[in-house]
Amino acid sequence: MRRFKFVLVPLVVGLLVAFAAGCGNVTLKDTVDSMPVTYDEKVLELLEKTTVRLLDGVSQSDIGLTLEGRGAVLSTELSRRVGRNVSDTDVILSMEEMVGILDAEISKVEIPELMEPSEDDFVNINADFPGLTQDEIAENIDVIAQIYQDQVAALAVNSILDDSRIMSAVSRGAGDYYVTIKDETITLAEMMAVLKHPFSAIGLVKQKNKAYELTSQYMGSKESVNTKTDAFRHAIWNVVMAKEGWGKKSAKMAWARDFATAHEKGKKYVAKDSEMDLHNNAVGLSYYDRYSSRTYRKFLWWRWESGVNEPSYEQAGNYLKNKANSATFVDEKQSLDAVKKGISRASSDDLVYIRK
């Protein structure tokens, strides 16, 4: 990765950590929708040990926000700017626009290699986190990686808020924006997943297209709703997002899970359809989890997780095609509660479809 161009910004976190006792997330305040602004305790604990050099335009409050916390901050700011209540159900912009914004911001910065760092990368990380020893860097590399990503996310948010065309579209409401753009839209909930995992999300459009390509290859069609083909597409999409995501196995899976779950929220939640999709998403990610394994290498005196051995697309496609062909049928004519129960009775390893 390329290196960041920094200005020095002191991080005052003692007060924040005081809220953290016994909590996985730290809640600081409420926003217009009473959505809590939450911070990750591990990030705050690390920031007690060091002063991080932050990019110009990034503030200390941008660092360590959870997915929900960033959503609360951004929905509040959007609501303030456009004069209407903006929630995580609102469509904000297109998938292609979001990826373009990320790409533009990442291209401006230089980031040390975090998966297989060299000694020079350690020197650069230490320059960005001057209060940490090499042992502390090695022990906290996941948190450090998130802090780098939080800064990219903050820059992307600034670009969105400064874009008068986007702000104008948001002020008119999601309905207008659906009409004004041709590409697939993303909601604020989906944007939060993108901003939590920008290094993975920069490939989102390619990941979506790859899932459609594999669906057509293995199921003979890519366009279908609530069918076995639909079940396959959602499962393989989660495999693709994990395989093409960035970082350790846990980070790649978190990206796939967060975005696929957000994709079924808000205006994109269609009761029975989405319940089916959520189940099939989980089947695909479970397959990836079972058939992939962490790889390690020795660096100096540390054993370093450096990547993932993953199933090929051919292996995943053949496996999930068999699962799709034997998918559990749930009758769409039933009530939503009955459909949910029918889906829940299916094995966590079996795909489901609910077409009449």
Side-chain angles (χ1 to χ4, degrees):
M1 290 187 179
R2 302 174 64 191
R3 294 261 315 124
F4 273 107
K5 302 170 186 175
F6 282 104
V7 295
L8 189 62
V9 179
L11 285 166
V12 182
V13 297
L15 181 60
L16 303 184
V17 177
F19 286 92
C23 300
N25 294 327
V26 184
T27 302
L28 297 184
K29 63 180 180 179
D30 290 333
T31 62
V32 291
D33 283 325
S34 298
M35 294 173 62
V37 178
T38 49
Y39 286 81
D40 187 278
E41 180 184 358
K42 291 182 179 179
V43 173
L44 298 184
E45 288 177 350
L46 181 66
L47 295 180
E48 276 199 305
K49 302 176 182 178
T50 185
T51 298
V52 181
R53 296 196 302 173
L54 297 180
L55 286 165
D56 187 20
V58 179
S59 71
Q60 61 191 40
S61 61
D62 293 317
I63 305 303
L65 284 164
T66 63
L67 187 150
E68 295 80 8
R70 194 174 297 279
V73 170
L74 187 49
S75 65
T76 300
E77 182 61 17
L78 285 170
S79 299
R80 185 186 70 80
R81 291 196 181 204
V82 303
R84 73 174 187 86
N85 187 50
V86 178
S87 71
D88 66 358
T89 67
D90 279 275
V91 170
I92 304 299
L93 68 174
S94 76
M95 188 179 289
E96 285 76 6
E97 286 173 316
M98 185 73 246
V99 169
I101 290 168
L102 283 182
D103 189 34
E105 296 305 331
I106 290 176
S107 68
K108 297 175 186 176
V109 300
E110 299 178 359
I111 305 168
E113 174 57 53
L114 300 169
M115 289 300 296
E116 297 193 53
S118 65
E119 291 192 45
D120 286 343
D121 289 315
F122 261 91
V123 171
N124 291 329
I125 295 170
N126 188 245
D128 299 340
F129 296 82
L132 301 182
T133 65
Q134 283 198 333
D135 283 339
E136 289 173 325
I137 290 172
E139 291 166 2
N140 294 282
I141 196 65
D142 291 345
V143 180
I144 289 169
Q146 191 57 60
I147 291 173
Y148 281 122
Q149 293 193 85
D150 285 348
Q151 295 186 74
V152 171
L155 293 176
V157 167
N158 291 342
S159 292
I160 291 166
L161 294 175
D162 291 341
D163 190 317
S164 59
R165 185 182 60 83
I166 294 175
M167 290 297 98
S168 176
V170 173
S171 69
R172 293 195 302 270
D176 280 347
Y177 207 28
Y178 263 129
V179 175
T180 59
I181 60 177
K182 297 178 181 179
D183 300 320
E184 182 169 349
T185 55
I186 64 172
T187 62
L188 186 60
E190 290 172 302
M191 187 188 296
M192 293 311 101
V194 166
L195 294 173
K196 186 66 176 176
H197 309 277
F199 296 168
S200 292
I202 195 170
L204 178 58
V205 174
K206 292 181 180 178
Q207 293 162 22
K208 179 198 71 171
N209 291 340
K210 183 65 176 180
Y212 275 105
E213 174 193 322
L214 291 168
T215 303
S216 182
Q217 177 182 342
Y218 285 92
M219 301 301 293
S221 172
K222 65 180 182 181
E223 300 294 345
S224 186
V225 177
N226 294 352
T227 62
K228 292 181 177 182
T229 296
D230 194 11
F232 176 94
R233 183 174 64 248
H234 278 268
I236 200 70
W237 181 41
N238 279 261
V239 174
V240 171
M241 284 195 292
K243 275 176 64 68
E244 302 299 329
W246 176 88
K248 297 182 178 181
K249 180 180 175 180
S250 58
K252 289 156 75 75
M253 290 184 63
W255 154 241
R257 183 182 299 110
D258 285 348
F259 189 83
T261 300
H263 186 67
E264 304 301 334
K265 287 185 176 180
K267 287 182 169 59
K268 295 187 176 182
Y269 179 80
V270 186
K272 300 172 187 178
D273 302 34
S274 291
E275 294 299 327
M276 168 187 158
D277 295 342
L278 289 166
H279 175 90
N280 293 328
N281 290 344
V283 172
L285 198 56
S286 176
Y287 165 80
Y288 175 85
D289 188 20
R290 287 197 310 277
Y291 292 96
S292 62
S293 59
R294 296 168 177 84
T295 60
Y296 297 88
R297 73 180 183 97
K298 187 74 179 296
F299 177 72
L300 298 178
W301 52 89
W302 300 291
R303 184 170 181 260
W304 197 272
E305 185 181 337
S306 58
V308 190
N309 283 324
E310 299 168 313
S312 67
Y313 282 128
E314 181 180 5
Q315 291 169 322
N318 286 327
Y319 178 89
L320 293 173
K321 178 180 179 180
N322 288 334
K323 286 294 180 181
N325 288 336
S326 61
T328 300
F329 172 73
V330 178
D331 192 346
E332 189 182 33
K333 291 181 288 187
Q334 300 179 97
S335 68
L336 176 58
D337 285 343
V339 167
K340 286 183 177 180
K341 288 178 181 177
I343 292 172
S344 68
R345 283 194 291 268
S347 165
S348 60
D349 191 39
D350 291 333
L351 296 175
V352 300
Y353 71 108
I354 59 173
R355 196 172 187 177
K356 294 178 182 178

